[in-house]
Amino acid sequence: MPLHVPPAPAPALRSVLAALGSPTAVREARTPALRTAPGPLSPELPLPLHVLDGITPGGRTPRTRLAGWRFLISDPERPVAAADTRLTPDGWAFSHFFEGPYIASTQRALRQAELLASHFQPRLLSVPELYMLTLWLHGDTAADGASGTPAPHDLLVPLAPAPPGICAHRPLRVCELLPVLTLRLAPAPLLGQPV
């Protein structure tokens, strides 16, 4: 089924295009693949990047906040890097370029999601406490990509590298993955305390 990619704010896209057009921004980026790409570079697949905070035992719903928009930067053949934007008091601004395993992992998870039987709106969801990034497949395709929280039946696809004990690229419903994350973040019992 096709994915319904939410439109990025126009100023966020313009800031990435301006950074790609700046030899200084590209040269100073810690992204060798971006500097050596063999052709024109273009920002593609803008995904809202949300952060999941407040995962605690006890069943409280964690908080979700928009942290920015991420664009995959592609040469004529494939994604080679990504660009993040962030909201400033003056509006959307380019933040930084980067490369690494999450680029290919995001692309793989998006291809995987296109084969699912349901329609989804793709987003990224970061879990900073676990150094974890997931592709969040939101069931409400008409929703504003910049807001909302994961619904129990939305899918989360952990991107590689995933934390130990969590299988990368295995789609799980939010109601299945959140309890696992809660256990991973629970404090270890004190010595001598019953478990």
Side-chain angles (χ1 to χ4, degrees):
M1 286 289 161
L3 295 175
H4 300 268
V5 178
L13 176 58
R14 283 194 300 270
S15 72
V16 171
L17 289 169
L20 281 172
S22 165
T24 303
V26 171
R27 186 175 56 248
E28 290 180 1
R30 294 187 180 119
T31 51
L34 189 65
R35 290 192 303 267
T36 60
L41 298 170
S42 60
E44 299 175 352
L45 287 166
L47 296 174
L49 174 60
H50 294 263
V51 175
L52 189 67
D53 290 320
I55 301 172
T56 58
R60 276 192 299 151
T61 304
R63 297 174 307 278
T64 306
R65 62 182 167 81
L66 180 68
W69 284 79
R70 179 166 293 169
F71 297 78
L72 292 181
I73 305 299
S74 296
D75 67 14
E77 296 179 14
R78 62 183 169 72
V80 296
D84 276 359
T85 62
R86 60 185 169 83
L87 190 58
T88 69
D90 295 326
W92 287 99
F94 170 75
S95 175
H96 62 280
F97 291 117
F98 67 95
E99 62 183 52
Y102 285 133
I103 308 302
S105 187
T106 300
Q107 186 181 29
R108 176 181 169 188
L110 287 165
R111 282 194 310 264
Q112 190 179 356
E114 288 174 344
L115 301 175
L116 297 173
S118 299
H119 291 266
F120 291 104
Q121 182 188 82
R123 305 170 174 198
L124 293 171
L125 185 66
S126 172
V127 184
E129 291 104 333
L130 291 175
Y131 302 100
M132 178 179 176
L133 185 63
T134 70
L135 178 65
W136 168 14
L137 299 172
H138 191 50
D140 183 357
T141 59
D144 176 5
S147 63
T149 58
H153 293 290
D154 286 353
L155 291 177
L156 297 177
V157 182
L159 301 181
I166 295 175
C167 185
H169 295 286
R170 180 174 173 234
L172 292 170
R173 299 230 175 262
V174 169
C175 60
E176 297 168 330
L177 186 58
L178 270 183
V180 173
L181 300 180
T182 301
L183 287 174
R184 294 291 316 263
L185 292 171
L190 297 174
L191 292 175
Q193 296 289 324
V195 179

Coordinates of all heavy atoms in Angstrom, one line a residue, residues 4-75:
H4 N 1.5 7.6 2.9 CA 1.0 9.0 2.8 C 2.0 9.9 3.5 O 1.8 10.1 4.7 CB -0.4 9.1 3.3 CG -1.3 8.2 2.6 ND1 -2.1 8.6 1.5 CD2 -1.7 6.9 2.8 CE1 -2.8 7.7 1.1 NE2 -2.6 6.6 1.9
V5 N 3.1 10.3 2.8 CA 4.1 11.2 3.5 C 3.5 12.6 3.7 O 3.1 13.2 2.7 CB 5.4 11.2 2.6 CG1 6.4 12.1 3.2 CG2 5.9 9.8 2.3
P6 N 3.6 13.0 4.9 CA 3.0 14.4 5.2 C 3.9 15.4 4.6 O 5.2 15.3 4.5 CB 3.0 14.5 6.7 CG 4.1 13.5 7.2 CD 4.1 12.4 6.2
P7 N 3.4 16.6 4.2 CA 4.2 17.6 3.6 C 5.0 18.3 4.7 O 4.5 18.6 5.7 CB 3.2 18.6 2.9 CG 1.9 18.3 3.7 CD 1.9 16.9 4.1
A8 N 6.3 18.5 4.4 CA 7.1 19.3 5.3 C 6.8 20.8 5.2 O 6.4 21.2 4.1 CB 8.6 19.0 4.9
P9 N 7.1 21.5 6.2 CA 6.9 23.0 6.1 C 7.8 23.5 5.0 O 9.0 23.1 5.0 CB 7.3 23.5 7.5 CG 7.2 22.3 8.4 CD 7.5 21.1 7.6
A10 N 7.3 24.4 4.2 CA 8.1 25.0 3.1 C 9.4 25.6 3.6 O 10.5 25.4 3.0 CB 7.3 25.9 2.3
P11 N 9.4 26.3 4.7 CA 10.7 26.9 5.2 C 11.7 25.9 5.6 O 12.9 26.1 5.4 CB 10.3 27.8 6.4 CG 8.8 28.1 6.2 CD 8.3 26.9 5.5
A12 N 11.3 24.7 6.1 CA 12.2 23.6 6.4 C 12.9 23.1 5.1 O 14.1 23.0 5.1 CB 11.5 22.5 7.1
L13 N 12.1 22.9 4.1 CA 12.6 22.5 2.8 C 13.6 23.5 2.2 O 14.7 23.2 1.8 CB 11.5 22.1 1.8 CG 12.0 21.8 0.4 CD1 12.9 20.5 0.4 CD2 10.7 21.5 -0.5
R14 N 13.2 24.8 2.3 CA 14.0 25.8 1.7 C 15.4 25.9 2.5 O 16.4 26.1 1.9 CB 13.3 27.2 1.8 CG 12.3 27.4 0.7 CD 11.9 28.8 0.6 NE 11.3 29.4 1.8 CZ 10.0 29.3 2.1 NH1 9.1 28.8 1.3 NH2 9.5 29.8 3.3
S15 N 15.3 25.7 3.8 CA 16.6 25.7 4.6 C 17.5 24.6 4.2 O 18.8 24.8 4.1 CB 16.3 25.7 6.1 OG 15.9 24.5 6.5
V16 N 17.0 23.4 3.9 CA 17.8 22.3 3.4 C 18.4 22.6 2.0 O 19.6 22.3 1.8 CB 17.0 21.0 3.5 CG1 17.8 19.8 2.8 CG2 16.7 20.6 4.9
L17 N 17.5 23.1 1.1 CA 18.0 23.4 -0.2 C 19.1 24.5 -0.2 O 20.1 24.4 -0.9 CB 16.9 23.9 -1.1 CG 15.8 22.8 -1.5 CD1 14.6 23.5 -2.1 CD2 16.5 21.8 -2.4
A18 N 19.0 25.4 0.7 CA 20.0 26.5 0.9 C 21.3 25.9 1.4 O 22.4 26.2 0.9 CB 19.5 27.6 1.8
A19 N 21.2 24.9 2.3 CA 22.4 24.3 2.9 C 23.1 23.4 1.8 O 24.3 23.4 1.7 CB 22.1 23.4 4.1
L20 N 22.3 22.7 1.0 CA 22.9 21.9 -0.1 C 23.5 22.8 -1.1 O 24.5 22.4 -1.7 CB 21.8 21.1 -0.8 CG 21.3 19.8 0.0 CD1 20.1 19.2 -0.7 CD2 22.5 18.8 0.0
G21 N 23.0 24.0 -1.3 CA 23.7 24.9 -2.3 C 24.8 25.7 -1.7 O 25.5 26.4 -2.4
S22 N 25.1 25.5 -0.4 CA 26.3 26.2 0.2 C 27.5 25.3 0.2 O 27.5 24.3 0.9 CB 25.9 26.6 1.6 OG 27.0 26.9 2.4
P23 N 28.5 25.6 -0.5 CA 29.7 24.8 -0.5 C 30.3 24.7 0.9 O 30.8 23.7 1.3 CB 30.7 25.5 -1.4 CG 29.8 26.4 -2.3 CD 28.6 26.7 -1.5
T24 N 30.2 25.7 1.7 CA 30.7 25.7 3.0 C 30.0 24.7 3.9 O 30.6 23.9 4.6 CB 30.6 27.1 3.7 OG1 31.3 28.0 2.8 CG2 31.2 27.1 5.1
A25 N 28.6 24.7 3.8 CA 27.8 23.8 4.7 C 28.1 22.3 4.3 O 28.3 21.5 5.2 CB 26.3 24.1 4.5
V26 N 28.2 22.1 3.0 CA 28.5 20.7 2.6 C 30.0 20.3 2.9 O 30.2 19.2 3.4 CB 28.2 20.5 1.0 CG1 28.7 19.2 0.5 CG2 26.8 20.7 0.8
R27 N 30.9 21.2 2.7 CA 32.3 20.9 2.9 C 32.6 20.7 4.4 O 33.3 19.8 4.8 CB 33.2 22.0 2.4 CG 34.7 21.7 2.5 CD 35.5 22.8 1.8 NE 35.3 24.1 2.4 CZ 34.7 25.1 1.7 NH1 34.3 25.0 0.5 NH2 34.5 26.3 2.3
E28 N 31.9 21.5 5.3 CA 32.2 21.4 6.7 C 31.4 20.2 7.4 O 31.6 19.9 8.5 CB 31.9 22.7 7.4 CG 32.9 23.7 7.0 CD 32.7 25.1 7.7 OE1 31.7 25.2 8.4 OE2 33.5 26.0 7.4
A29 N 30.4 19.7 6.7 CA 29.7 18.6 7.2 C 30.5 17.3 7.4 O 31.4 17.1 6.6 CB 28.5 18.2 6.3
R30 N 30.3 16.6 8.5 CA 31.1 15.4 8.8 C 30.4 14.2 8.0 O 30.1 13.2 8.6 CB 31.1 15.1 10.2 CG 31.9 16.1 11.0 CD 32.0 15.7 12.5 NE 32.7 16.7 13.2 CZ 32.3 17.4 14.2 NH1 31.1 17.2 14.6 NH2 33.0 18.4 14.8
T31 N 30.3 14.4 6.7 CA 29.6 13.4 5.9 C 30.4 13.2 4.6 O 30.1 13.9 3.6 CB 28.2 13.9 5.5 OG1 28.3 15.2 5.0 CG2 27.3 13.8 6.7
P32 N 31.4 12.4 4.6 CA 32.2 12.1 3.4 C 31.3 11.7 2.2 O 31.6 12.1 1.0 CB 33.2 11.0 3.8 CG 33.2 11.1 5.2 CD 31.9 11.6 5.7
A33 N 30.3 10.9 2.4 CA 29.4 10.5 1.3 C 28.8 11.7 0.6 O 28.5 11.7 -0.6 CB 28.4 9.5 1.8
L34 N 28.4 12.7 1.4 CA 27.8 13.9 0.9 C 28.8 14.7 0.0 O 28.4 15.2 -1.1 CB 27.2 14.8 2.0 CG 26.4 15.9 1.7 CD1 25.1 15.5 1.0 CD2 26.1 16.7 2.9
R35 N 30.0 14.8 0.5 CA 31.0 15.6 -0.3 C 31.5 14.9 -1.5 O 31.9 15.6 -2.5 CB 32.2 15.8 0.7 CG 31.9 16.8 1.8 CD 33.2 17.2 2.5 NE 34.0 16.2 3.0 CZ 33.9 15.7 4.3 NH1 33.0 16.3 5.1 NH2 34.6 14.7 4.7
T36 N 31.4 13.6 -1.6 CA 31.9 12.8 -2.7 C 30.8 12.3 -3.6 O 31.1 11.5 -4.5 CB 32.8 11.7 -2.3 OG1 32.0 10.8 -1.5 CG2 34.0 12.2 -1.5
A37 N 29.5 12.7 -3.4 CA 28.4 12.2 -4.2 C 28.6 12.6 -5.7 O 29.0 13.7 -6.0 CB 27.1 12.7 -3.7
P38 N 28.3 11.6 -6.6 CA 28.7 11.9 -8.0 C 27.6 12.5 -8.8 O 27.3 12.2 -9.9 CB 28.9 10.4 -8.5 CG 27.9 9.6 -7.7 CD 27.9 10.3 -6.4
G39 N 26.9 13.5 -8.3 CA 25.9 14.1 -9.1 C 25.1 15.1 -8.3 O 25.4 15.4 -7.1
P40 N 24.0 15.6 -8.8 CA 23.2 16.6 -8.1 C 22.5 15.9 -6.9 O 22.1 14.7 -7.0 CB 22.1 17.0 -9.1 CG 22.1 16.0 -10.2 CD 23.5 15.3 -10.2
L41 N 22.4 16.6 -5.8 CA 21.8 16.1 -4.6 C 20.5 16.7 -4.4 O 20.3 17.9 -4.7 CB 22.7 16.4 -3.4 CG 24.1 15.8 -3.4 CD1 25.0 16.4 -2.3 CD2 24.0 14.3 -3.2
S42 N 19.5 15.9 -3.9 CA 18.2 16.5 -3.7 C 17.6 15.9 -2.4 O 17.8 14.8 -2.0 CB 17.3 16.1 -4.8 OG 17.2 14.7 -5.0
P43 N 16.9 16.8 -1.6 CA 16.2 16.3 -0.4 C 14.9 15.6 -0.8 O 14.2 16.0 -1.6 CB 15.9 17.6 0.3 CG 15.9 18.7 -0.7 CD 16.7 18.2 -1.8
E44 N 14.7 14.4 -0.2 CA 13.6 13.6 -0.5 C 13.0 13.0 0.8 O 13.6 13.1 1.9 CB 14.0 12.4 -1.4 CG 14.5 12.8 -2.7 CD 15.0 11.6 -3.5 OE1 15.1 10.5 -3.0 OE2 15.4 11.9 -4.7
L45 N 11.8 12.5 0.7 CA 11.1 11.9 1.8 C 11.2 12.6 3.1 O 11.8 12.2 4.1 CB 11.6 10.5 2.0 CG 11.2 9.5 1.0 CD1 12.0 8.2 1.0 CD2 9.7 9.2 1.1
P46 N 10.6 13.8 3.2 CA 10.6 14.5 4.5 C 9.8 13.8 5.5 O 8.6 13.4 5.3 CB 10.0 15.9 4.1 CG 9.1 15.6 3.0 CD 9.8 14.5 2.2
L47 N 10.4 13.5 6.7 CA 9.7 12.8 7.7 C 9.7 13.6 9.0 O 10.8 14.1 9.4 CB 10.3 11.4 8.0 CG 10.2 10.4 6.8 CD1 11.0 9.2 7.2 CD2 8.8 10.1 6.5
P48 N 8.5 13.8 9.6 CA 8.6 14.5 10.9 C 9.3 13.6 11.9 O 9.1 12.4 12.0 CB 7.1 14.7 11.3 CG 6.4 13.7 10.5 CD 7.2 13.4 9.3
L49 N 10.2 14.2 12.7 CA 11.0 13.5 13.7 C 10.4 13.9 15.1 O 10.5 15.0 15.5 CB 12.4 13.9 13.6 CG 13.4 13.4 14.7 CD1 13.4 11.8 14.7 CD2 14.8 13.9 14.5
H50 N 9.8 12.9 15.7 CA 9.2 13.1 17.1 C 10.1 12.4 18.1 O 10.9 11.4 17.8 CB 7.8 12.4 17.1 CG 6.8 13.1 16.2 ND1 6.0 14.0 16.7 CD2 6.6 13.0 14.9 CE1 5.2 14.5 15.7 NE2 5.5 13.8 14.6
V51 N 10.0 12.9 19.3 CA 10.8 12.3 20.4 C 9.8 11.8 21.5 O 8.8 12.5 21.8 CB 11.7 13.4 21.1 CG1 12.4 12.8 22.3 CG2 12.8 13.8 20.1
L52 N 10.0 10.6 21.9 CA 9.2 9.9 22.9 C 9.9 10.1 24.3 O 11.0 9.6 24.5 CB 9.0 8.5 22.6 CG 8.0 7.7 23.4 CD1 6.6 8.2 23.2 CD2 8.1 6.2 23.1
D53 N 9.3 10.9 25.2 CA 9.8 11.1 26.5 C 8.9 10.6 27.6 O 7.7 10.4 27.4 CB 9.9 12.6 26.8 CG 11.0 13.3 25.9 OD1 12.0 12.7 25.8 OD2 10.7 14.4 25.5
G54 N 9.5 10.3 28.7 CA 8.7 9.9 29.9 C 8.2 8.5 29.9 O 7.0 8.2 30.3
I55 N 9.0 7.6 29.4 CA 8.6 6.2 29.5 C 8.8 5.7 30.9 O 10.0 5.7 31.3 CB 9.4 5.3 28.5 CG1 9.2 5.8 27.1 CG2 9.0 3.8 28.6 CD1 10.0 5.2 26.0
T56 N 7.8 5.4 31.6 CA 7.9 4.9 33.0 C 7.1 3.7 33.2 O 6.0 3.5 32.6 CB 7.5 6.0 34.0 OG1 6.2 6.4 33.7 CG2 8.4 7.3 33.8
P57 N 7.5 2.9 34.2 CA 6.6 1.8 34.6 C 5.3 2.4 35.2 O 5.3 3.5 35.7 CB 7.4 1.0 35.7 CG 8.8 1.5 35.5 CD 8.7 2.9 34.9
G58 N 4.2 1.7 35.1 CA 3.0 2.2 35.7 C 1.9 2.5 34.7 O 0.8 2.9 35.0
G59 N 2.2 2.4 33.4 CA 1.2 2.6 32.4 C 0.9 4.0 32.0 O 0.0 4.2 31.2
R60 N 1.6 5.0 32.5 CA 1.4 6.3 32.1 C 1.8 6.5 30.6 O 2.8 5.9 30.2 CB 2.2 7.4 32.9 CG 1.5 7.8 34.1 CD 2.1 8.9 34.8 NE 3.5 8.6 35.1 CZ 4.5 9.4 35.2 NH1 4.3 10.7 34.9 NH2 5.7 9.1 35.5
T61 N 1.0 7.2 29.8 CA 1.3 7.4 28.4 C 2.5 8.3 28.3 O 2.5 9.4 28.9 CB 0.1 8.0 27.7 OG1 -1.0 7.2 27.9 CG2 0.4 8.1 26.2
P62 N 3.5 7.9 27.6 CA 4.7 8.8 27.4 C 4.3 10.0 26.6 O 3.3 10.0 25.8 CB 5.7 7.9 26.6 CG 5.2 6.5 26.7 CD 3.7 6.6 26.9
R63 N 5.1 11.0 26.7 CA 4.9 12.3 25.9 C 5.6 12.2 24.6 O 6.7 11.6 24.5 CB 5.4 13.5 26.7 CG 4.7 13.7 28.0 CD 5.3 14.8 28.8 NE 6.8 14.7 29.0 CZ 7.3 13.9 30.0 NH1 6.6 13.3 30.8 NH2 8.6 13.9 30.1
T64 N 5.0 12.8 23.6 CA 5.6 12.9 22.3 C 5.7 14.3 21.9 O 4.8 15.1 22.1 CB 4.8 12.1 21.2 OG1 4.6 10.8 21.7 CG2 5.5 12.1 19.9
R65 N 6.9 14.7 21.4 CA 7.0 16.1 20.9 C 7.8 16.1 19.6 O 8.6 15.3 19.3 CB 7.7 17.0 21.9 CG 9.1 16.5 22.2 CD 9.8 17.4 23.3 NE 11.0 16.7 23.8 CZ 12.2 16.7 23.2 NH1 12.3 17.4 22.0 NH2 13.2 16.1 23.6
L66 N 7.4 17.1 18.7 CA 8.1 17.2 17.4 C 9.5 17.9 17.7 O 9.6 18.9 18.3 CB 7.2 18.1 16.5 CG 7.8 18.3 15.1 CD1 7.8 17.0 14.3 CD2 7.1 19.4 14.4
A67 N 10.5 17.2 17.2 CA 11.9 17.7 17.3 C 12.4 18.4 16.0 O 13.3 19.2 16.1 CB 12.8 16.6 17.7
G68 N 11.8 18.0 14.9 CA 12.2 18.6 13.6 C 11.7 17.8 12.5 O 10.8 16.9 12.6
W69 N 12.2 18.1 11.3 CA 11.9 17.3 10.1 C 13.3 16.8 9.5 O 14.3 17.5 9.6 CB 11.3 18.2 9.0 CG 9.8 18.4 9.4 CD1 9.3 19.4 10.3 CD2 8.7 17.8 8.8 NE1 8.0 19.3 10.3 CE2 7.5 18.3 9.4 CE3 8.5 16.8 7.9 CZ2 6.3 17.9 9.1 CZ3 7.3 16.4 7.5 CH2 6.1 16.9 8.2
R70 N 13.2 15.5 9.1 CA 14.4 14.9 8.5 C 14.2 14.6 7.1 O 13.1 14.1 6.7 CB 14.7 13.6 9.3 CG 16.0 12.9 8.7 CD 16.4 11.8 9.6 NE 17.0 12.4 10.8 CZ 17.3 11.7 11.9 NH1 17.1 10.4 12.0 NH2 17.7 12.4 13.0
F71 N 15.1 15.0 6.2 CA 15.1 14.7 4.8 C 16.2 13.8 4.4 O 17.3 14.0 4.9 CB 15.3 16.0 4.0 CG 14.3 17.1 4.3 CD1 14.3 17.9 5.4 CD2 13.3 17.3 3.3 CE1 13.3 18.9 5.6 CE2 12.4 18.3 3.5 CZ 12.4 19.1 4.6
L72 N 15.9 12.8 3.6 CA 17.0 11.9 3.1 C 17.6 12.7 1.9 O 16.8 13.3 1.1 CB 16.4 10.6 2.6 CG 15.9 9.6 3.7 CD1 15.4 8.3 3.1 CD2 17.0 9.3 4.7
I73 N 18.9 12.8 1.8 CA 19.6 13.5 0.8 C 20.1 12.4 -0.2 O 20.9 11.5 0.1 CB 20.7 14.3 1.3 CG1 20.3 15.3 2.4 CG2 21.4 15.0 0.2 CD1 19.2 16.3 2.0
S74 N 19.6 12.5 -1.5 CA 19.9 11.5 -2.4 C 20.7 12.0 -3.6 O 20.5 13.2 -4.0 CB 18.6 10.9 -3.0 OG 17.9 10.2 -2.0
D75 N 21.6 11.2 -4.1 CA 22.2 11.5 -5.4 C 21.3 10.8 -6.4 O 20.3 10.3 -6.1 CB 23.7 11.0 -5.4 CG 23.9 9.5 -5.4 OD1 22.9 8.8 -5.6 OD2 25.0 9.0 -5.1

